[in-house]
Amino acid sequence: MPSGVVNDETPVLEGNVAAHQAGMATLNNRMEDAKNERNRDWSNLPEKHPLNQFVKELPALLEKTGYNEMYGVELKITPEGQPPAHTTLMILQKFLRANEGDLTRAKEQLTNALKWRKEYKPLDALNETFPHNKFGGLGYVTKVTGATETKNKEDVVTFNIYGAAAKDPKKTFGDTDAFVRWRVALMELTLKQLDLNSGTEIIPDYGVGQNPYQFDYGKGGDPYQAIQVHDYQSVSFFRQPSEIKQSSQKIIDMFQRYYPETVSYKYFVNVPTIMQWMMGAMKMLMSKDSIQKMTWMTAGNQLNQYLGSDVPKEYGGKGPALEGIGLTVKYDTEQTGATAVADDKTGAESAPAEGAMGHDLGDIQAPEIKT
């Protein structure tokens, strides 16, 4: 009987080729099931898994930084003989995923982020008051059901309304530090709505699943991320004032460094048709992961195709206007409809890490506004 070849090294009889291939398929399926099972149960991780190693090195990292809060979650040291806190594992896994599973890079980024949060105190920005005549109407946080790409039952969405600064863009962006502080407050409000302290789902390892931003229990995606919408109605992409460029670049750099794995998808709406070629050119310079997260559309009323009918009517949905339902930061004058975040002490405080020892304890550049 003639022989066949399944691979370069293993000759088999042709009559056994189908059986051999079926056996290999079964073996591959079992290996995939085992991999998925590890992503369903963090208590079953291999000893040398990066997340396990991250947990072991966390005490030294917290002692080095003197700080133990990230995204409103207290990073807890694991008492001997007890499993790590689930919310702590969630944060560590986010930093691992942001660095493609590289533990060394993840530790470095987490260390720098903790140092920044200790110094900058972003949680305090939630209770600070901002001038409405500078930043009013620029940003809202809301929730939607039926987003087609995340497959989550509910998603937190941050709307960035750049056209709100149309009358006086220099007033909004002229004081770079003030604008950055306002934008950080909006980001912290977004994270608060994600309610990470109540998280119970497993965040899979980097690279697991066909779509890393679509949650499928144990198989891929991080359900604890927000969606961003960038609305460019009445915005020009040309002749940017230096103030806007400076503020935008600082936000981009800060969010890349200190807010990894917090955004699942970004939707750019009301983008002029003439700029579509630029968006295509930008894709040539982006990573595959970045491209997968971004969608551009000329008409704002197309957004409902991605975020469902809960979005406001101007975005093709049936929901009320953002001013009526959206959460926003605190302003020095009362607003109509929009709910300003109130003083809140829930979640982790900006506690120094030494107090925990021994106990069970990401934007896009805003272009020029048409005047």
Side-chain angles (χ1 to χ4, degrees), residues 58-278:
L58 183 61
L61 190 152
L62 295 182
E63 185 174 11
K64 177 181 179 180
T65 60
Y67 195 77
N68 71 335
E69 173 272 325
M70 181 58 58
Y71 302 164
V73 174
E74 179 186 1
L75 299 180
K76 299 180 179 180
I77 296 174
T78 305
E80 187 173 353
Q82 296 187 26
H86 185 85
T87 50
T88 296
L89 291 174
M90 286 168 49
I91 298 299
L92 299 184
Q93 183 75 319
K94 281 180 175 289
F95 278 80
L96 279 170
R97 283 168 61 96
N99 291 280
E100 301 177 333
D102 187 310
L103 178 58
T104 300
R105 288 162 48 199
K107 288 192 301 180
E108 181 180 4
Q109 187 174 23
L110 179 59
T111 298
N112 292 334
L114 287 170
K115 289 179 178 178
W116 175 77
R117 292 183 75 85
K118 180 181 180 181
E119 178 180 349
Y120 194 78
K121 296 180 173 56
L123 285 179
D124 290 353
L126 275 175
N127 292 321
E128 294 171 5
T129 300
F130 296 89
H132 186 269
N133 66 341
K134 284 187 176 182
F135 308 120
L138 273 178
Y140 299 94
V141 180
T142 186
K143 294 182 179 181
V144 300
T145 57
T148 59
E149 294 190 284
T150 68
K151 304 300 182 183
N152 296 331
K153 292 181 179 179
E154 185 177 63
D155 284 280
V156 175
V157 184
T158 303
F159 283 82
N160 299 276
I161 315 297
Y162 298 118
K167 292 183 178 179
D168 193 347
K170 290 192 175 183
K171 178 184 289 186
T172 298
F173 300 102
D175 186 340
T176 299
D177 291 339
F179 174 75
V180 169
R181 189 69 176 176
W182 170 85
R183 187 61 185 85
V184 166
L186 188 67
M187 186 62 182
E188 292 296 324
L189 178 59
T190 301
L191 292 173
K192 181 180 176 182
Q193 299 311 303
L194 287 174
D195 195 17
L196 297 175
N197 280 296
S198 299
T200 58
E201 299 286 1
I202 301 297
I203 301 175
D205 295 342
Y206 173 81
V208 171
Q210 293 183 346
N211 186 344
Y213 304 104
Q214 183 179 97
F215 181 65
D216 182 4
Y217 179 66
K219 296 183 180 180
D222 177 355
Y224 303 108
Q225 294 180 314
I227 293 171
Q228 286 185 355
V229 175
H230 299 269
D231 189 342
Y232 292 100
Q233 186 71 45
S234 302
V235 170
S236 170
F237 283 74
F238 304 102
R239 303 184 311 278
Q240 290 186 0
S242 60
E243 295 90 348
I244 294 180
K245 293 181 180 179
Q246 184 176 356
S247 295
S248 299
Q249 191 55 52
K250 191 167 184 177
I251 287 291
I252 293 170
D253 180 68
M254 179 180 290
F255 279 34
Q256 287 177 341
R257 291 173 182 268
Y258 307 132
Y259 289 101
E261 291 293 301
T262 54
V263 177
S264 58
Y265 287 93
K266 295 183 179 182
Y267 297 96
F268 305 91
V269 304
N270 293 313
V271 178
T273 304
I274 195 173
M275 297 307 299
Q276 293 298 325
W277 67 269
M278 178 180 288

